[in-house]
Amino acid sequence: METATVPETGERHTAEFLRVRALAERGVASAQHSLGFMYVNGQGVAKNDALAVEWYRKAADAGLEQAQYNLGVMYQKGQGLPQDDAQALYWYRCAASQGYAPAQYNLGWLYAKGQGTPVDVAQALHWFSQAASQGDAGAQHNLGMMYEGGKGVAQDIDAALGWYRRAAEQGYARSQFALALRYDSGQGLARDPRLALDWLRRAALQGHAPAQFNLALRFDKGQDVDQDSRQAIHWYGRAAEQGHASSQFNLALIYDSGHGVARDEAAALGWYRRAAEQGHAAAQDNLGLRYEHGQGVERDLVRAAHWYRQAASQGLPAAQYHLGQLYDAGSGVEQDSEQAVHWYAQAAEQGHLRAQFDLGLRYEAGNGVAADAARALYWYRRAADQEYAPAQHMVGVLLDRIETGDPREAAHWYRKAADQGHALAQFALALRYDSAHGVERDYEAAHFWYLCAARQGHARAQFNLGVMYAAGQGAQRDEFEAHDWLTRAAAAGIPGAAPYLKRITARMSAEQLALLQETA
């Protein structure tokens, strides 16, 4: 391009710049605006925001709507002059009143956000409507949001969808994503997974990170598409590189588990860290776990406590529980039972199973808190209601222990835990059937539950089971079974097992003893 030299500065300019400047200096408003644009973008001249503002202002004062708009942008950004939303509002209004759609859109946003003016949803609706009617896709999308939320206008889902569709068909990614979500949920229109996926793809291909994340989720979980880890990683990666924290976290989970890709602990750690540094609570908790256990990093309990605290302060129950554990043990922080209980309680109130159970243990034992059987029972019940077998067993234990406990209710909780394979509960339930405590006496049921617990190595259950086989109680008499279970109980040191085993052996025939020896 032809250039010329300005003697006083030695700066070289394009001929086009010199032509535009000459027209601008003669007061041609369109040239003044163009000159401002050149200075903003460094087009044919060195970039100079202050000079851009000067020329925009001349054109704006002459009434040129584009210059008024651009001057408003400079004020809103604080580019070339001090930031001033009120001045931005003024110049946007000048341009908007002349029908300039981009200014109408920006003016609507200032009223919606209360920037440079008090929030005024009626004015926001008015200016968005003006811009939308001229085909401004951003304004159409914002109108859709206002109709959907009933902000400044009666809620109208059909109208909202109409505006979303108009913007989406112009290629506006946010509206494409909004339509995808509604086709996915069937909100306001018939659910259509195919159309949901189509709109998601359109938005994702334009770089819309939430759409990329949602598309990745579908491939990750095989939702409405064939499961495809490569596609999931691709779309998570596209969004993650834009700083989408949830995509970074999910990408870390994939590399951490090796789900559909070679396991890569370093990559997982890197993505956990990026998400954590953006405030993603679950990523912070995962990073804390890595520092606590030295997984992929040098073990550092102080750093573990730091990341747990970041996530715990956001209300993540798992991190609150983990932080409580560190305070309990004095790991990475000074040992502090009160702080441990505080964080356990925060997690427990949100339904964290282990925190509820551990609080029950603390109140039962008076560990860091005053012993309180009622509080212990409360927390055990909360965990038991989540089908946690150890807690169900402890509800039964406490109901047996307190004066107001109901033996039948205790039996109910023992049964729930026993059905899940909890050996202590199985033994407790067997005892109740054996002694008719809270249930009808039932030796067959007692034998069954003793057998369940005995097979898991419960020594007292092994002893009682041996006695039942010896007596033919709850099952057919069987000296061999009696001998076997009593032998195990005796080896475990159960008092009375060895003498009883001796008596059983003494009454066995020579033939039985020989067979026993052969089997042994």
Side-chain angles (χ1 to χ4, degrees):
M1 180 175 288
E2 183 183 353
T3 61
T5 301
V6 180
E8 64 270 23
T9 64
E11 186 177 355
R12 297 177 66 81
H13 299 303
T14 64
E16 176 63 14
F17 169 79
L18 295 174
R19 185 188 69 78
V20 171
R21 187 175 68 177
L23 290 172
E25 288 171 344
R26 289 204 295 271
V28 177
S30 59
Q32 292 168 337
H33 173 258
S34 296
L35 191 58
F37 189 83
M38 287 177 160
Y39 275 117
V40 164
N41 295 286
Q43 182 181 326
V45 67
K47 192 174 185 299
N48 189 322
D49 288 337
L51 282 175
V53 168
E54 181 181 323
W55 288 107
Y56 279 153
R57 191 181 301 279
K58 290 179 185 295
D61 286 338
L64 190 68
E65 66 272 23
Q66 287 177 285
Q68 293 167 340
Y69 167 75
N70 282 331
L71 187 56
V73 170
M74 301 296 272
Y75 270 114
Q76 190 174 4
K77 291 181 176 179
Q79 187 176 343
L81 76 182
Q83 199 277 339
D84 190 330
D85 283 333
Q87 280 292 306
L89 184 86
Y90 169 79
W91 288 109
Y92 286 150
R93 181 180 285 279
C94 289
S97 298
Q98 296 191 67
Y100 193 60
Q104 293 169 337
Y105 172 75
N106 282 13
L107 189 58
W109 263 118
L110 292 185
Y111 278 115
K113 299 294 184 183
Q115 294 174 350
T117 178
V119 170
D120 189 331
V121 292
Q123 281 290 305
L125 183 72
H126 168 75
W127 290 112
F128 284 147
S129 297
Q130 293 292 306
S133 66
Q134 296 190 66
D136 187 285
Q140 291 169 341
H141 178 80
N142 288 353
L143 268 186
M145 289 197 299
M146 294 185 83
Y147 275 108
E148 183 176 6
K151 292 182 180 178
V153 65
Q155 187 181 45
D156 187 333
I157 299 299
D158 287 341
L161 289 171
W163 285 113
Y164 286 146
R165 191 176 299 281
R166 286 177 68 175
E169 287 171 351
Q170 291 192 71
Y172 194 69
R174 290 174 64 203
S175 289
Q176 292 172 336
F177 180 57
L179 274 184
L181 294 182
R182 278 144 192 84
Y183 275 118
D184 188 43
S185 65
Q187 182 186 352
L189 35 69
R191 185 174 188 274
D192 190 326
R194 184 186 60 79
L195 283 174
L197 192 63
D198 178 58
W199 285 114
L200 267 185
R201 285 185 188 278
R202 294 195 198 190
L205 286 168
Q206 293 193 73
H208 188 64
Q212 292 169 337
F213 171 71
N214 274 267
L215 190 56
L217 270 180
R218 280 164 169 71
F219 283 114
D220 197 0
K221 309 300 180 188
Q223 179 190 340
D224 300 324
V225 293
D226 292 334
Q227 199 284 332
D228 189 330
S229 294
R230 287 182 177 274
Q231 282 291 305
I233 290 169
H234 169 75
W235 289 111
Y236 281 142
R238 290 274 299 270
E241 291 294 354
Q242 295 187 68
H244 192 272
S246 293
S247 292
Q248 294 169 339
F249 177 67
N250 283 15
L251 203 52
L253 290 177
I254 287 178
Y255 282 116
D256 200 7
S257 65
H259 180 61
V261 66
R263 189 169 185 275
D264 188 333
E265 195 166 274
L269 181 66
W271 287 114
Y272 279 138
R273 192 180 301 281
R274 287 180 67 172
E277 287 169 352
Q278 289 199 78
H280 192 286
Q284 292 169 337
D285 184 51
N286 271 271
L287 205 50
L289 285 169
R290 274 163 169 65
Y291 278 112
E292 183 179 0
H293 300 292
Q295 182 184 347
V297 293
E298 187 175 345
R299 190 166 187 255
D300 188 332
L301 294 173
V302 173
R303 281 181 176 269
H306 164 77
W307 287 114
Y308 286 150
R309 189 180 302 280
Q310 295 293 309
S313 298
Q314 294 190 65
L316 187 72
Q320 293 168 337
Y321 176 67
H322 293 148
L323 187 58
Q325 287 183 306
L326 292 189
Y327 274 113
D328 214 358
S331 300
V333 292
E334 292 217 10
Q335 198 279 333
D336 189 329
S337 294
E338 286 188 9
Q339 279 291 303
V341 170
H342 166 77
W343 288 111
Y344 284 148
Q346 294 286 310
E349 290 289 1
Q350 295 190 72
H352 192 279
L353 190 61
R354 286 299 305 274
Q356 292 171 339
F357 184 66
D358 286 6
L359 270 185
L361 291 173
R362 297 179 83 88
Y363 277 110
E364 184 187 358
N367 179 13
V369 292
D372 187 331
R375 291 296 293 168
L377 184 58
Y378 168 79
W379 286 114
Y380 284 145
R381 283 188 187 279
R382 290 280 299 271
D385 285 338
Q386 295 193 62
E387 304 302 326
Y388 188 50
Q392 292 169 336
H393 170 250
M394 290 308 302
V395 171
V397 169
L398 280 194
L399 288 173
D400 271 346
R401 189 179 298 165
I402 61 178
E403 291 184 6
T404 56
D406 182 344
R408 290 168 299 178
E409 187 186 358
H412 162 77
W413 286 110
Y414 285 140
R415 177 61 183 260
K416 288 181 75 70
D419 283 339
Q420 294 192 65
H422 193 277
L424 295 176
Q426 291 169 339
F427 176 69
L429 189 58
L431 281 178
R432 300 179 93 78
Y433 280 117
D434 205 354
S435 61
H437 182 51
V439 294
E440 295 288 328
R441 178 174 277 114
D442 186 335
Y443 288 127
E444 288 187 4
H447 176 275
F448 171 79
W449 289 113
Y450 281 141
L451 180 61
C452 290
R455 284 174 172 167
Q456 295 194 68
H458 193 289
R460 285 282 309 281
Q462 292 169 342
F463 174 72
N464 288 11
L465 189 60
V467 171
M468 293 190 87
Y469 273 119
Q473 193 175 52
Q476 187 173 353
R477 184 174 174 178
D478 189 326
E479 282 85 0
F480 288 103
E481 287 288 343
H483 191 282
D484 178 43
W485 290 112
L486 288 168
T487 298
R488 299 188 196 200
I494 295 298
Y500 210 108
L501 179 62
K502 190 175 182 180
R503 289 200 299 274
I504 292 294
T505 305
R507 73 189 192 197
M508 294 177 78
S509 67
E511 189 177 65
Q512 287 176 316
L513 288 172
L515 184 57
L516 187 66
Q517 184 67 32
E518 183 181 332
T519 304

